[in-house]
Amino acid sequence: MRERVKILGVEIDNITSEEAGLITKELIETSNKSCTLVVAPNVEFIMTAQKDEEFFNILKTSKLATPDSIGVIIAGKLQKKPFKERIPGQSYLRKVFEVGEKEGWTFYLLGGRGDVPKRAKEHLESIYPNAKIVGYHEGFFEEDSEEKVIEEINNLRPNVLFVAMGAPIQEKWIYKNRDKLKVDIATGQGGTFDYEADNIKRAPVWMQKFGIEWLWRLIREPKRITRMIVLPVYLLKILFTKDITKGKFDK
């Protein structure tokens, strides 16, 4: 049994990147195209879940939740349940490709604007030449095109569907269509395709190690300041809430 750490009601697996790959393999082998949800909670996830009950409940249905930010790591330490490793979205995606290349899994990329998913596909194929990316589609489509996108995905029947629409939109989209999608797992990927398409440069390794990638992104994208306001609110909440395992919508 793997340990799950609860932060404001959101459960997150205490695992390494290697373990995440093995768990993903197990989920795929037992899924039978049941569209198993995988999520990557970070501070914004957790705080959004405090005001969005639908999102809060969707996160509870996930079969794998990877720790995706330094704020999550801090909350684990406060509970004396330190996380083994921080697993950013791009790190998880690449681990899945690494394992999937050996296992013969197929992938579909859904998300990003314009040619971003195409360029992400080409870049990933240059790193993992034996990976089978069977299709891609941008994530900003009209509602009347949704059925066509789902039909295309189902015709290709990928093992892994990466959805990069930003949270909570991507998780809500997966959950809404979970009974239609013929995939083994579906996982939200936020802005990962932009990194893989080289639209956004990832922070230097030393910043990644210190868990301050958020600062790098803020410097490069100052408009993110409105989103960053949630960080001090979160820190105050986990520092001064009597029981930081409880969320607003916990019954």
Side-chain angles (χ1 to χ4, degrees), residues 56-110:
F56 182 85
N57 289 327
I58 287 172
L59 293 179
K60 284 186 175 294
T61 70
S62 70
K63 299 299 182 185
L64 174 61
T66 57
D68 187 23
S69 76
I70 190 64
V72 168
I73 302 301
I74 291 170
K77 289 179 178 177
L78 287 174
Q79 294 184 53
K80 294 185 172 52
K81 295 179 179 179
F83 282 95
K84 298 175 182 178
E85 188 179 329
R86 186 172 69 92
I87 310 174
Q90 187 181 28
S91 297
Y92 175 69
L93 176 141
R94 290 196 174 191
K95 175 54 66 176
V96 173
F97 265 93
E98 179 189 315
V99 178
E101 188 179 38
K102 298 171 186 173
E103 296 291 331
W105 298 343
T106 55
F107 306 92
Y108 191 102
L109 309 182
L110 175 63

Side-chain angles (χ1 to χ4, degrees), residues 212-229:
I212 54 173
E213 285 185 86
W214 60 270
L215 179 59
W216 171 261
R217 291 202 66 181
L218 181 59
I219 292 168
R220 295 180 65 88
E221 302 173 70
K223 64 183 180 180
R224 290 176 64 89
I225 188 66
T226 54
R227 294 173 59 179
M228 294 300 177
I229 291 170

Side-chain angles (χ1 to χ4, degrees), residues 6 12 14 24 34 50 60 62 69 76 81 85 94 115 119 129 134 161 166 173 176 195 202 208 226:
K6 219 174 179 186
I12 305 172
N14 188 0
T24 300
S34 61
Q50 304 312 299
K60 284 186 175 294
S62 70
S69 76
K81 295 179 179 179
E85 188 179 329
R94 290 196 174 191
D115 67 347
R119 288 190 289 122
V134 293
L161 172 63
W173 189 87
K176 180 185 76 171
Y195 287 115
R202 194 162 177 192
Q208 295 177 36
T226 54

Side-chain angles (χ1 to χ4, degrees), residues 43-57:
V43 168
E44 286 185 79
F45 261 64
I46 293 168
M47 293 304 286
T48 299
Q50 304 312 299
K51 58 187 179 183
D52 186 336
E53 188 171 9
E54 178 191 6
F55 185 49
F56 182 85
N57 289 327

Side-chain angles (χ1 to χ4, degrees), residues 191-203:
T192 300
F193 293 0
D194 283 312
Y195 287 115
E196 295 296 355
D198 207 28
N199 268 14
I200 301 174
K201 296 289 185 185
R202 194 162 177 192

